[in-house]
Amino acid sequence: MDAKEFLQLYRAGRKVFSNVDLVGADLKAIDLHKIDFSHASMSKSNFANAKLCRANLSGADLSYANLNSADLHRANLRHANLKGADLRKADLRGADLRGANLSWANLQETLFEGAQMTNANLYNAKN
């Protein structure tokens, strides 16, 4: 599915996109709060400044994604792959990151207050 098709479906009211393939999609600065992207493939996608608060991103592949300044507060990122992701200035307050892979991610100025991070992989993450 390309970004244009996704946006048409989303704007028509669809909120569940589990297992969707949006690799490399440009979805910057879009309000996607409470969306279900569980187990979706979204590596190398651009979510800079996007609103993904309370989103279900459990098991999603967001490796090398641009999440710079994204609003992910209270998002479910349990077991998500965020390897090499750009999370600079992202809001992850209250997010569930249990078992998430944050290795090699850029976490500079990222907000983590109240985030659950049990068993999260932070190998070589930049903070």
Side-chain angles (χ1 to χ4, degrees), residues 34-96:
K34 294 186 180 179
I35 195 161
D36 183 350
F37 275 142
S38 57
H39 304 284
S41 296
M42 300 178 293
S43 64
K44 300 179 184 175
S45 292
N46 184 4
F47 288 100
N49 296 299
K51 186 174 183 176
L52 290 157
C53 54
R54 297 184 184 177
N56 182 0
L57 297 157
S58 60
D61 180 4
L62 289 157
S63 56
Y64 305 100
N66 181 1
L67 292 153
N68 188 321
S69 300
D71 181 355
L72 291 153
H73 80 273
R74 296 179 63 188
N76 180 356
L77 289 151
R78 197 169 190 173
H79 301 289
N81 182 8
L82 294 153
K83 179 181 180 179
D86 181 357
L87 287 155
R88 287 174 295 151
K89 299 182 181 179
D91 184 353
L92 287 163
R93 291 175 297 161
D96 185 350

